[in-house]
Amino acid sequence: DTAVSQTPKYLVTQMGNDKSIKCEQNLGHDTMYWYKQDSKKFLKIMFSYNNKELIINETVPNRFSPKSPDKAHLNLHINSLELGDSAVYFCASSQGKRTQFFGPGTRLTVL
Amino acid sequence: AQTVTQSQPEMSVQEAETVTLSCTYDTSESDYYLFWYKQPPSRQMILVIRQEAYKQQNATENRFSVNFQKAAKSFSLKISDSQLGDAAMYFCAYRSPSAGGGADGLTFGKGTHLIIQP
């Protein structure tokens, strides 16, 4: 019944590794997003996808790459992880301009 | 670019009392959407209330209501009859209208940590 789900919920990894976070929504929404919440709780948009097209890329390093195999999924792949990438990453979805619904978040810790 | 300001990093209120959280924003657009999200310790982002800028009537959801002042670019959240379960971070957020598809991200304020005193 979960509307927006993310896996994993926790991810601990070493600097330099490559990792992915998966997101799935079963709401039939046409747009999905990734947000980053830093250690001070500040939330910032990273990407959005609408019908498989990247709409926003907010000065995010190119080590981050969103991949959307279909309308219900938007995965986040991160190459060469750095200490500063440690954060909570949220996936969200919406139908057009309507309200965005968030996943439970993935806490990424880079050691 | 739009900015959202929450000037109260932390607020405290006695259980059953009323508290108001402040939010101001800066935009040159005339039509937009405003939201309050709640983030309890579980870290789940939960929508509290939504307001369309073209609507003059303030949105309400049970114990939660907003005071939307478009000219002043102010969007405060009032929580009545505060309950222990209301303890959380509260984020004010702004969303632009878009030309099509609605694929705009939310711009968030820095949040207000609400403490409920029993």
Side-chain angles (χ1 to χ4, degrees):
Chain A
D1 289 321
T2 304
V4 183
S5 60
Q6 294 179 229
T7 54
K9 286 193 170 56
Y10 298 92
L11 184 54
V12 180
T13 188
Q14 299 286 331
M15 266 197 317
N17 284 349
D18 302 338
K19 290 294 179 184
S20 292
I21 305 172
K22 296 185 177 181
C23 177
E24 176 181 2
Q25 54 97 2
N26 62 6
L27 298 168
H29 288 167
D30 60 5
T31 308
M32 296 182 71
Y33 312 81
W34 278 104
Y35 289 85
K36 178 181 181 180
Q37 186 174 42
D38 64 23
S39 58
K40 296 184 178 179
K41 302 280 191 181
F42 185 58
L43 279 149
K44 189 172 181 181
I45 182 74
M46 298 177 72
F47 305 104
S48 73
Y49 256 79
N50 182 311
N51 294 323
K52 296 190 179 182
E53 181 184 0
L54 178 65
I55 302 297
I56 299 174
N57 185 334
E58 290 284 326
T59 63
V60 173
N62 58 15
R63 297 181 295 102
F64 290 79
S65 54
K67 298 195 189 304
S68 181
D70 56 56
K71 202 169 79 166
H73 297 83
L74 181 64
N75 303 325
L76 182 64
H77 189 76
I78 316 169
N79 290 327
S80 303
L81 278 156
E82 300 177 357
L83 292 176
D85 297 333
S86 294
V88 178
Y89 293 85
F90 285 96
C91 177
S93 73
S94 71
Q95 181 62 30
K97 304 175 191 179
R98 296 189 176 94
T99 300
Q100 294 184 20
F101 292 89
F102 285 77
T106 296
R107 180 177 294 281
L108 171 64
T109 303
V110 182
L111 303 175
Chain B
Q2 294 81 20
T3 58
V4 177
T5 302
Q6 293 179 249
S7 58
Q8 305 152 316
E10 187 172 281
M11 292 281 286
S12 182
V13 64
Q14 293 285 336
E15 197 175 0
E17 297 293 310
T18 295
V19 63
T20 298
L21 308 184
S22 300
C23 173
T24 59
Y25 56 94
D26 187 23
T27 183
S28 58
E29 297 171 318
S30 59
D31 190 21
Y32 45 87
Y33 304 86
L34 296 166
F35 304 85
W36 279 97
Y37 280 88
K38 167 185 176 181
Q39 187 178 39
S42 67
R43 91 168 171 241
Q44 177 72 51
M45 293 290 289
I46 302 165
L47 177 70
V48 175
I49 203 162
R50 160 193 166 113
Q51 175 82 42
E52 291 90 347
Y54 65 86
K55 290 186 178 178
Q56 292 187 342
Q57 186 171 7
N58 289 325
T60 63
E61 286 288 340
N62 300 314
R63 298 183 294 108
F64 299 87
S65 61
V66 297
N67 184 3
F68 174 48
Q69 301 288 329
K70 191 172 183 179
K73 296 179 183 176
S74 171
F75 183 60
S76 60
L77 175 70
K78 185 171 85 170
I79 306 174
S80 303
D81 186 25
S82 297
Q83 299 176 1
L84 293 177
D86 295 334
M89 283 290 289
Y90 285 81
F91 292 96
C92 179
Y94 173 102
R95 181 175 187 172
S96 295
S98 58
D104 287 332
L106 295 169
T107 300
F108 283 93
K110 292 188 175 182
T112 296
H113 181 212
L114 179 63
I115 299 168
I116 311 295
Q117 303 279 5

